[in-house]
């Protein structure tokens, strides 16, 4: 079973708009949601599912809104939460920002979307590209005699329209990996993981079938390719777009699919392997009497010499009462951001194997205060093109279409910083 009704509430718990799908839960029951939430919050026992008598409230908060689904039955909670998050995603596609004002300004469209997103309490069409074919921004203009269900809704392939044509058939594949890293003050790595995604931009005519081959360790073992010459990666927590044939992947690890048109994320994955920090940071803080402090930061690129990190930003925390900043950098530029209590050292281009220095001098009225405050970690942002830290590779992309046209696949690899922090002693 799924949801009986869906409500969108403002920050005070007042309903802005709602849709009753099954009629088995009185709509007035939503009045109990906000008092219950406030009570649980005060008790420190707030949970994502609240119950009042026989009625269950499954809720999420986004910006200044609450999205609440009600049910009497033992509903599939993960399905309901997935639906609520997907609803937010669809609204954001339509209105860019989802907040109380955008709901009030677009009541007609919001109600139409709620009508199409779910039917009798079960998720229906949740692909924003398909919804935009027949629920447009001008949908409050009534047009009679033009009621037509887009063929994509009734298709076996609901995410792709028929009759798409391009003069030049191309597929662009982006393999993007984010490195999450936490290093303690002793230089030991506490957390290290890679979160990856493969994004496609598809400009293909007709109804093509695509097959993507990766250097997946399980596939290599199945096909007998595993060995010293063939480098493979073990993917964890793999999530696919709905277009991927999961049964085929389970059987022989083939990623086979008919793609949506345009941009979409084909898959995401995670690797919890020990990653050598790509940019290593060391910092030394010297205090002189009680009037000034000098911070020296050394940054070293620990990736391949032929690779270059672009747009490097190193955020170095400074005491909240620091003033009179002076900087000296061996490369790039440094600026003081007083509202965030950080110095941001920007390096446009950082080649692998290189080492750079930055010195910052500050006036400091009270050194003792800084000791009490503690010191936040140093944060690093960067992007390294043509490089993946996991070693994942697109081995092939086969494009099969009945008309037999030739199509060009283009592949790009990017490694970037995720939550990348190094604590200092």
């Amino acid at each position: 079973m799924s949801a009986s009704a869906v409500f969108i509430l403002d920050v005070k718990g007042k309903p802005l708009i709602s849709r009753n799908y099954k009629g088995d839960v009185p709509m007035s029951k939503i009045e109990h949601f906000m008092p219950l939430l406030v009570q649980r919050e005060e008790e420190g026992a707030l949970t994502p599912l609240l119950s009042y008598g026989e009625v269950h409230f499954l809720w999420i908060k986004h910006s200044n809104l609450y999205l609440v689904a009600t049910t009497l039955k033992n509903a599939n909670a993960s399905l309901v939460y997935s639906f609520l998050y997907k609803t937010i995603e669809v609204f954001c596609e339509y209105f860019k920002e989802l907040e109380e004002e955008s709901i009030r300004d677009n009541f007609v469209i919001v109600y139409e979307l709620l009508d199409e997103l779910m039917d009798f309490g079960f998720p229906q069409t949740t692909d924003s590209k398909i919804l935009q074919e027949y629920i447009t921004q001008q949908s409050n203009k009534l047009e009679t005699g033009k009621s037509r269900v887009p063929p994509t809704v009734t298709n076996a392939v609901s995410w792709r329209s028929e009759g798409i044509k391009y003069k030049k058939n191309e597929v662009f594949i982006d393999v993007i990996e984010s490195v999450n890293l936490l290093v303690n003050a002793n230089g030991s790595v506490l957390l290290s993981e890679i979160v990856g995604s493969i994004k496609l931009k598809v400009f293909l005519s007709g109804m093509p079938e695509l097959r993507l081959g990766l250097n997946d360790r399980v596939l290599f073992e199945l096909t007998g390719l595993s060995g010293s010459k063939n480098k493979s990666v073990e993917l964890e927590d793999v999530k696919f777009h709905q277009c991927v044939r999961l049964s085929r992947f389970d059987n022989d690890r083939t990623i086979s699919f008919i793609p949506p048109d345009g941009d979409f994320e084909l898959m995401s994955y995670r690797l919890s392997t020990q990653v050598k920090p790509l940019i290593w940071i060391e910092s030394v803080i010297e205090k002189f009497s009680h009037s000034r402090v000098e911070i020296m930061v050394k940054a070293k690129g620990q990736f391949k010499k032929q690779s270059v990190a672009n747009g490097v930003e190193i955020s170095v925390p400074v005491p909240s009462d620091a003033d009179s900043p002076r900087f000296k950098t061996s490369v790039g530029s440094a600026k003081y951001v007083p509202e965030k209590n950080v110095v941001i050292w920007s390096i446009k281009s950082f080649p692998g194997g290189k080492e750079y220095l930055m010195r910052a001098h500050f006036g400091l009225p009270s050194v003792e205060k800084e000791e009490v405050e503690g010191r936040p970690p140093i944060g690093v942002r960067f992007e390294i093109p043509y490089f993946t830290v996991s070693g994942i590779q697109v081995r092939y992309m086969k494009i099969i279409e009945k008309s037999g046209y030739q199509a060009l696949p283009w592949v790009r690899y990017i490694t970037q910083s995720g939550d990348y922090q190094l604590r200092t002693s």
Side-chain angles (χ1 to χ4, degrees), residues 191-327:
L191 169 75
S192 167
E193 69 171 2
I194 302 161
V195 178
S197 69
I198 297 179
K199 295 181 179 180
L200 269 64
K201 192 176 277 191
V202 176
F203 303 109
L204 295 174
S205 307
M207 276 282 180
E209 179 171 329
L210 276 59
R211 287 177 197 160
L212 179 71
L214 304 171
N215 55 337
D216 174 13
R217 185 166 297 167
V218 178
L219 173 67
F220 276 25
E221 285 168 1
L222 282 171
T223 54
L225 286 170
S226 55
S228 56
K229 285 183 182 178
N230 298 307
K231 191 185 176 187
S232 60
V233 292
E234 192 167 350
L235 304 175
E236 301 167 35
D237 294 346
V238 180
K239 292 175 188 169
F240 289 111
H241 186 274
Q242 62 174 350
C243 67
V244 175
R245 295 186 178 90
L246 294 179
S247 56
R248 181 84 189 267
F249 181 77
D250 289 339
N251 285 338
D252 58 12
R253 305 291 284 194
T254 299
I255 302 169
S256 172
F257 57 99
I258 295 171
D261 190 44
D263 299 349
F264 73 102
E265 183 177 275
L266 176 68
M267 63 180 283
S268 63
Y269 58 90
R270 186 178 62 85
L271 286 97
S272 52
T273 52
Q274 195 74 12
V275 180
K276 185 181 180 183
L278 297 173
I279 295 180
W280 183 255
I281 306 291
E282 290 175 18
S283 74
V284 177
I285 297 175
E286 285 186 64
K287 294 160 191 165
F288 299 92
S289 66
H290 287 246
S291 60
R292 65 190 179 94
V293 65
E294 182 179 309
I295 303 169
M296 189 193 80
V297 178
K298 182 166 75 173
K300 186 179 180 183
Q302 299 193 140
F303 46 94
K304 293 175 182 176
K305 287 183 179 179
Q306 58 265 42
S307 295
V308 176
N310 296 327
V312 178
E313 281 189 0
I314 300 164
S315 300
V316 183
V318 298
S320 56
D321 54 352
D323 58 24
S324 313
R326 288 187 296 121
F327 307 111

Side-chain angles (χ1 to χ4, degrees), residues 25 94 129 137 210 212 226 252 276 311 343 365 370 401:
V25 177
Y94 269 82
K129 285 182 183 174
Q137 301 287 29
L210 276 59
L212 179 71
S226 55
D252 58 12
K276 185 181 180 183
V343 171
E370 191 267 338
E401 214 278 330

